[in-house]
Amino acid sequence: MAKLIDGKVISAAVKEEVKAEVSALKQKGVTPGLAVIIVGEDPASKVYVANKEKACEASGMASFKYALPENTSEEELLALIQKLNNDSCVNGILCQLPLPRHLNEELIINSIVPEKDVDAFHPQNVGKIMIGNYDFLPCTPAGIMEMLKYENIDIEGKECVVIGRSNIVGKPMSMLLLHKNGTVTVCHSRTKNLKEVCKRADILVAAVGRANFVTADMVKPGAVVIDVGINRLENGKLCGDVNFAEVEPVASYITPVPGGVGPMTIATLMKNTVTAAKKQNNI
Ligand code: GUN
């Protein structure tokens, strides 16, 4: 039976640290502020953004929410980002992805000044991560690293397999595992012998976006299994990329969905916003 890695408990510890830092910053006259932009009506994005807002407020930070209609033009969105770039009350800017199809995601991300890019999606921040000398880490991969650290799971020399190569999770995740001296393989839709490759993993990270994708026959006995997926089933229930019922008896550690990686993503976002506020105020 696997030990559950409880994202609620670990994120609560991170959020407590953030709260203390926010309080100390406020005494110096600085209130960290996060602006969150959401365009359109994607139901999952709405839930994520509401959770981010709630966490911001609970930590004592200022939160500025911009819910824009689906038909917002690129010019309008760029103008808003420009305004936020120049607003000293706003230390972090997050534009929730995915954006409606008529908006060029790359152009929008690139328009956020790197100093306020608390998602670490801007090419300048991505490049810094690649080199290993960074200001921010992307929230989900950094949250996963925090979970591994909390559970004293050693990465050095371990076989690490990441399923999924997105810019948000898969690619940066592989880089962070590499920085910790893991031997990293990134799998994707064209990978041959996926099952065999996954079965080599001491640490398996599933970021595919497909419900119950990872089955017991893909997991080495005793592996650490990290489930990044948040998929909604037809019955309305949330479900990860890992078939939890099958894999849990095989793994040594596993993250649940919900209550695993999700809360860690938000805690890291808070941390990044505090980092941004400190840097912008030379603290
Ligand atoms: N959509 C899914 N995950 C994320 C994230 O971490 N940041 C943003 N901006 N959008 C997302």
Side-chain angles (χ1 to χ4, degrees):
M1 229 175 84
K3 179 169 191 280
L4 220 60
I5 308 182
D6 190 335
K8 283 193 202 149
V9 169
I10 306 170
S11 67
V14 176
K15 282 181 190 165
E16 277 310 307
E17 279 171 36
V18 168
K19 207 169 160 180
E21 283 214 76
V22 170
S23 168
L25 283 171
K26 278 180 161 175
Q27 299 218 320
K28 294 185 172 136
V30 175
T31 301
L34 174 68
V36 179
I37 305 168
I38 176 167
V39 187
E41 302 295 327
D42 181 73
S45 290
K46 278 182 161 178
V47 174
Y48 301 150
V49 164
N51 288 339
K52 287 169 186 177
E53 235 190 324
K54 245 189 280 172
C56 245
E57 280 156 15
S59 72
M61 284 187 217
S63 112
F64 310 96
K65 182 179 166 187
Y66 296 86
L68 308 181
E70 180 84 23
N71 63 359
T72 300
S73 70
E74 214 157 73
E75 291 69 29
E76 285 168 317
L77 184 51
L78 289 170
L80 171 61
I81 291 172
Q82 196 58 43
K83 184 176 84 110
L84 298 173
N85 280 340
N86 293 322
D87 184 342
S88 62
C89 295
V90 173
N91 305 111
I93 304 170
L94 177 148
C95 185
Q96 188 67 25
L97 304 179
L99 287 168
R101 281 164 61 152
H102 66 282
L103 298 171
N104 180 338
E105 240 167 52
E106 194 179 346
L107 183 77
I108 301 301
I109 287 170
N110 293 4
S111 75
I112 297 173
V113 286
E115 296 76 18
K116 297 191 179 185
D117 168 40
V118 283
D119 263 323
F121 291 166
H122 189 284
Q124 185 175 309
N125 288 323
V126 174
K128 284 180 150 187
I129 292 162
M130 187 112 182
I131 292 163
N133 171 23
Y134 43 76
D135 303 309
F136 307 117
L137 288 174
C139 299
T140 299
I144 292 170
M145 296 305 282
E146 189 74 31
M147 289 176 126
L148 296 174
K149 189 172 150 200
Y150 185 92
E151 298 291 349
N152 290 314
I153 294 166
D154 201 19
I155 298 164
E156 181 153 322
K158 297 282 170 65
E159 288 281 348
C160 304
V161 175
V162 179
I163 322 174
R165 57 175 157 183
S166 70
N167 290 332
I168 296 182
V169 183
K171 283 185 207 165
M173 186 75 239
S174 64
M175 203 49 63
L176 301 193
L177 291 165
L178 184 60
H179 288 330
K180 293 288 176 194
N181 300 317
T183 301
V184 184
T185 306
V186 183
C187 297
H188 45 79
S189 55
R190 309 286 168 88
T191 297
K192 295 200 174 91
N193 307 321
L194 179 71
K195 193 184 291 185
E196 286 71 25
V197 176
C198 290
K199 204 150 185 166
R200 290 207 304 256
D202 300 308
I203 299 171
L204 181 63
V205 181
V208 207
R210 282 171 62 181
N212 296 319
F213 183 81
V214 175
T215 45
D217 57 345
M218 297 163 77
V219 178
K220 176 160 107 177
V224 175
V225 179
I226 306 291
D227 191 348
V228 181
I230 305 179
N231 309 292
R232 201 169 284 279
L233 301 175
E234 276 177 16
N235 64 11
K237 275 186 77 175
L238 283 184
C239 153
D241 289 350
V242 175
N243 186 323
F244 188 91
E246 267 191 23
V247 171
E248 187 270 342
V250 181
S252 61
Y253 288 86
I254 191 165
T255 62
V257 177
V261 173
M264 295 305 299
T265 299
I266 294 182
T268 310
L269 174 66
M270 305 287 101
K271 234 167 102 165
N272 284 353
T273 307
V274 167
T275 303
K278 279 167 111 176
K279 278 202 84 123
Q280 285 159 38
N281 289 282
N282 300 315
I283 295 173

